Amino acid sequence: MKAFLLAGLTLLPALAAVSAADARPLTIDDVTMLSRVGTPVVSRDGHWLVWAQRETDLEKNRGRFDLWRLDLTRRGAAPEPLAAEADVNETDPQIVGDTVYFSSDKGGGDGAVWAVPVTGGTPRKLTGFAGGFGGFKVSPDATRLLVWADRRPGAPSLAPAMEKKAADAGSGRTYDQLFVRHWDSWADGTRSQLFVLPLGADGAPGDGVAITGALVGDTPSKPFGGGEEVAWSPDSRTVYFALREAGRIEATSTNLDIFAVPADGSAAPVNLTAANRATDTLPTVSPDGRSLAWLAMARPGFEADRQVLMIRDLASGQVRALTQGWDRSVASIAWAPDGRSLYVTADDVQQVPLFRVDARNGRVSRLTGEGHVGGVAVSAKGVVVSMDSLTAPADFYRVTAPERLERLTSVNAQRLAGVDMPTVTRFSFTGANNDTVWGYAVRPAGITTPVPIAFMVHGGPQGSSNNSWSYRWNPAVFAGAGYGLVAVDFHGSTGYGQAFTDAISNNWGGWPLEDLQKGLAAATAKFDWLQADNACALGASYGGYMMNWIEGRWPDRFKCIVQHDGVFDARAMAYETEELWFDEWEHGGKTYYEDPAAFEKWNPVNYVANWKTPQLVITGEKDFRIPYTQGLAAFTALQRRDVPSELLVFPDENHWVLKPKNSRQWYRTVLGWLDRWTKMGAPAGQAPR
């Protein structure tokens, strides 16, 4: 076994050193008030680091963002505010030359693009168009502003369409194809499209011109796409973007393509990846403008296929699969300034390191050790990353050599001073199919006697319980509440090669459950500080599905269960969810009516007669991925079976719980549920008498 000891990701020694009497555990009240750093942005010359930083406004139940900067040329320099007006959100910083461009909602309304010298000064507003926007990118020569915004398909500019509504019009919406809703929003007839405005001394006035032509789809993609899916050429003449064309196939297609279009809109976009019917995304142009890098999957209809780093010679059209021989799925791309290599991130056995890939031969070199690299910024002076771990929220570091980091910030040192973080230890065991399976155990600080177990199952299902900080499911908070948290990367998890990831498809309740059973047994045999017979299981999304599956297929192991946004009835899920490609791929690639047996094989509803473990059900009314009706159905089953149960419904949350007060309520309800059943001495699967 090897402890998760990430050099440089602990608190500064002077602030971390506290006496045992003064030490205290981490709580959700601590976590909700932490500052959260955004993606690092570094000036081309490597002089300045700029980022957006989120602070919590608990009274208003939301986050608020400011811009910060750090002088990278001065050792020991302290971060300082760059744009930080009270009650104003400044986000999405970009540095071109000596100017920082950013989004701001100052003055209310739909927001605008602003600019401020990187050395400081008075920000000035650049845009005045109406109707709102999703994001922007300034051209490398600072003469054009690329904006993406939701508008009616075919809109010639950013000017909002003038629509008249009949005096007797009702509130109903009419649809004739999917999507009718996506993630947490109902379709309203608009699409995210690209527009270009001239940028000069007087800002970027006017409404710009559309450049996506007759294409109908969202760019960036929804619901999670952003600026990483849009790129300028170095000469500022061409825009590259990812888009999945809409139509009747949209809800069943993962076919994003990379398009190229003149920045002045003088020609229609050209599809550069039409030959691939699976996902192509993250277009990234080399510094010399000669090559285009992007990520490509191979299998249509599969959202968790391996993402291979591709390179296209823009002059000849020749394409190379640069990382085809590397059995990891690339997650992000950044070119080195000399164009000879690229920096990428990828899941790798419960870590998310930074790697360098040789642009000529695809040779991969690992640059960081343990922990999670969340953002990468490259300049002439090197690489800056944001990094976090299970016991440390994100800060910025400079990569000085392979697996050597120089810490640049400690934004939460004061808030976490005196907090005694838990210890995280990895372990492995032989799981299903005789494969090696990894997990970790989180030991509360200062314990002297064995503690109850919180057995956490990750979502995805193609995800990982990796060495990263979380604001939604934070293992350190459970440890702070007195629980030994155990997590297992069952078959289907990422970071172990594509075959291991593929093993969960059409096998949801098979090998993953076997891994979980063997993993919990391995942990309790290895760690004598765990109360082997006093455990609760909890999980969300696929993890929530597994909670419902455990209720019927492993009903005698746990004192209680917490199920968040989990699938209860696979038949209903097949017709209620929005991204149909996911559910159909995971059950063999067919619809429910074509192959009902595939869906029913692992359907929790078929085993409700075995349910007896007390369960807390949590759902959000704005969750359209696994609709809240699945949670209501599970709660109904529990109530009709007379199983002790509670239902927590968030009317203003989607598949995730994001608002600060809701997060606190979630944790207090969940931890209260675990306390109720682990501290009353009831046999597993039974309520106390």
Side-chain angles (χ1 to χ4, degrees):
M1 296 188 300
K2 185 177 181 182
F4 273 135
L5 299 176
L6 181 56
L9 286 195
T10 54
L11 296 178
L12 292 179
L15 294 173
V18 293
S19 68
D22 294 332
R24 62 178 181 83
L26 184 73
T27 70
I28 186 55
D29 289 355
D30 295 319
V31 171
T32 52
M33 299 309 295
L34 293 178
S35 300
R36 308 186 194 184
V37 299
T39 302
V41 179
V42 178
S43 58
R44 180 174 292 185
D45 61 5
H47 189 144
W48 296 101
L49 167 66
V50 175
W51 68 94
Q53 185 165 305
R54 179 191 185 273
E55 309 295 345
T56 298
D57 186 335
L58 193 61
E59 181 179 350
K60 295 182 179 179
N61 199 25
R62 67 182 186 187
R64 189 185 62 78
F65 296 84
D66 298 319
L67 298 189
W68 288 73
R69 68 176 180 182
L70 180 67
D71 186 343
L72 296 176
T73 66
R74 294 192 298 116
R75 183 172 294 276
E80 54 189 352
L82 177 63
E85 291 193 51
D87 298 321
V88 172
N89 287 294
E90 297 101 354
T91 60
D92 196 20
Q94 300 164 41
I95 306 176
V96 178
D98 58 2
T99 301
V100 177
Y101 300 86
F102 61 97
S103 299
S104 174
D105 59 5
K106 183 176 181 178
D110 299 320
V113 179
W114 290 61
V116 65
V118 70
T119 53
T122 301
R124 63 189 183 99
K125 186 177 180 181
L126 302 179
T127 61
F129 59 82
F133 66 108
F136 73 96
K137 278 196 172 181
V138 178
S139 65
D141 64 3
T143 64
R144 290 185 169 109
L145 184 67
L146 175 68
V147 172
W148 51 94
D150 289 352
R151 297 292 187 271
R152 293 287 177 183
S157 72
L158 284 159
M162 299 297 293
E163 296 179 326
K164 291 186 178 181
K165 204 170 186 180
D168 60 349
S171 62
R173 298 184 295 262
T174 301
Y175 301 96
D176 61 5
Q177 65 181 39
L178 301 173
F179 293 119
V180 300
R181 59 184 188 175
H182 198 187
W183 187 246
D184 59 7
S185 302
W186 286 88
D188 63 0
T190 64
R191 294 285 180 174
S192 182
Q193 300 168 69
L194 301 179
F195 306 87
V196 173
L197 298 84
L199 179 60
D202 58 345
D207 296 314
V209 296
I211 63 169
T212 39
L215 293 174
V216 178
D218 291 303
T219 179
S221 64
K222 291 184 177 181
F224 304 123
E228 71 281 354
E229 295 184 1
V230 180
W232 280 102
S233 63
D235 63 7
S236 302
R237 295 179 179 179
T238 306
V239 173
Y240 299 89
F241 62 91
L243 177 141
R244 176 180 54 236
E245 292 191 68
R248 302 199 68 84
I249 53 85
E250 187 176 18
T252 59
S253 171
T254 60
N255 185 26
L256 274 73
D257 280 311
I258 305 296
F259 294 82
V261 63
D264 60 5
S266 58
V270 175
N271 190 340
L272 302 181
T273 59
N276 182 25
R277 305 305 296 172
T279 293
D280 297 283
T281 190
L282 272 58
T284 312
V285 190
S286 62
D288 62 9
R290 296 178 179 179
S291 301
L292 176 71
W294 76 96
L295 301 181
M297 297 183 186
R299 289 174 282 183
F302 185 23
E303 70 166 2
D305 199 9
R306 183 164 63 110
Q307 294 194 139
V308 175
L309 180 61
M310 310 292 290
I311 302 289
R312 178 189 182 99
D313 184 300
L314 290 170
S316 68
Q318 181 182 0
V319 173
R320 295 179 292 136
L322 196 60
T323 59
Q324 187 63 50
W326 185 40
D327 198 8
R328 291 294 182 266
S329 186
V330 177
S332 66
I333 311 171
W335 283 92
D338 62 8
R340 295 180 180 178
S341 61
L342 301 97
Y343 297 96
V344 306
T345 57
D347 276 13
D348 186 48
V349 192
Q350 294 187 300
Q351 315 292 338
V352 185
L354 178 70
F355 301 89
R356 181 191 291 115
V357 181
D358 190 298
R360 296 164 299 177
N361 55 32
R363 184 178 294 115
V364 178
S365 304
R366 183 165 174 166
L367 298 180
T368 61
E370 296 181 344
H372 167 251
V373 174
V376 182
V378 182
S379 75
K381 296 294 181 65
V383 182
V384 172
V385 298
S386 64
M387 288 194 71
D388 57 271
S389 72
L390 280 161
T391 56
D395 269 300
F396 296 117
Y397 299 80
R398 181 162 26 208
V399 181
T400 58
E403 302 202 27
R404 292 186 62 184
L405 303 174
E406 175 192 355
R407 185 166 192 154
L408 300 174
T409 63
S410 298
V411 298
N412 287 297
Q414 293 291 346
R415 288 189 174 96
L416 293 176
V419 172
D420 202 355
M421 287 291 185
T423 301
V424 183
T425 308
R426 295 176 62 201
F427 66 95
S428 65
F429 59 94
T430 300
N433 197 42
N434 288 319
D435 291 329
T436 298
V437 177
W438 286 91
Y440 61 69
V442 183
R443 176 174 179 162
I447 61 171
T448 56
T449 58
V451 294
I453 300 170
F455 189 52
M456 185 181 292
V457 180
H458 72 68
Q462 294 89 358
S464 173
S465 295
N466 58 31
N467 188 15
S468 62
W469 186 262
S470 174
Y471 286 94
R472 293 185 288 112
W473 288 73
N474 190 307
V477 174
F478 286 89
Y483 289 89
L485 186 135
V486 176
V488 170
D489 264 4
F490 47 84
H491 278 82
S493 299
T494 54
Y496 307 89
Q498 194 60 40
F500 193 88
T501 300
D502 288 349
I504 197 171
S505 297
N506 214 17
N507 192 19
W508 273 31
W511 289 0
L513 178 61
E514 184 179 343
D515 289 340
L516 293 171
Q517 292 170 329
K518 292 179 176 179
L520 184 56
T524 54
K526 190 69 179 179
F527 304 112
D528 59 7
W529 46 271
L530 294 173
Q531 294 178 5
D533 61 348
N534 195 18
C536 283
L538 58 161
S541 197
Y542 172 82
Y545 158 86
M546 182 52 71
M547 296 303 102
N548 289 330
W549 189 245
I550 284 172
E551 277 279 10
R553 305 300 287 166
W554 195 15
D556 298 311
R557 181 61 181 91
F558 297 102
K559 294 288 185 69
C560 70
I561 285 173
V562 177
Q563 183 261 111
H564 184 149
D565 289 342
V567 175
F568 168 75
D569 183 358
R571 179 180 184 179
M573 173 70 176
Y575 293 105
E576 291 177 348
T577 192
E578 14 84 288
E579 291 187 346
L580 299 178
W581 63 79
F582 166 76
D583 208 41
E584 291 172 7
W585 181 277
E586 291 303 305
H587 293 90
K590 295 183 179 180
T591 64
Y592 182 91
Y593 60 81
E594 290 172 319
D595 189 6
F599 290 78
E600 295 299 342
K601 183 178 182 180
W602 310 115
N603 194 350
V605 75
N606 294 329
Y607 298 94
V608 168
N610 299 335
W611 284 28
K612 60 182 178 180
T613 306
Q615 183 178 146
L616 168 65
V617 181
I618 307 173
T619 190
E621 289 185 21
K622 296 176 69 177
D623 184 0
F624 301 152
R625 181 62 45 85
I626 300 179
Y628 70 87
T629 50
Q630 293 278 317
L632 293 178
F635 182 65
T636 298
L638 292 160
Q639 290 283 298
R640 294 294 289 132
R641 289 276 303 151
D642 289 328
V643 177
S645 49
E646 289 183 6
L647 173 67
L648 173 59
V649 180
F650 290 101
D652 53 349
E653 299 286 7
N654 53 35
H655 201 56
W656 302 331
V657 175
L658 302 175
K659 293 181 171 59
K661 291 181 181 179
N662 291 349
S663 180
R664 291 187 174 190
Q665 182 183 8
W666 186 95
Y667 273 98
R668 288 166 181 163
T669 302
V670 169
L671 291 172
W673 186 253
L674 267 62
D675 287 349
R676 174 180 172 184
W677 299 104
T678 61
K679 297 179 180 179
M680 296 183 69
Q686 297 181 19
R689 299 184 181 279

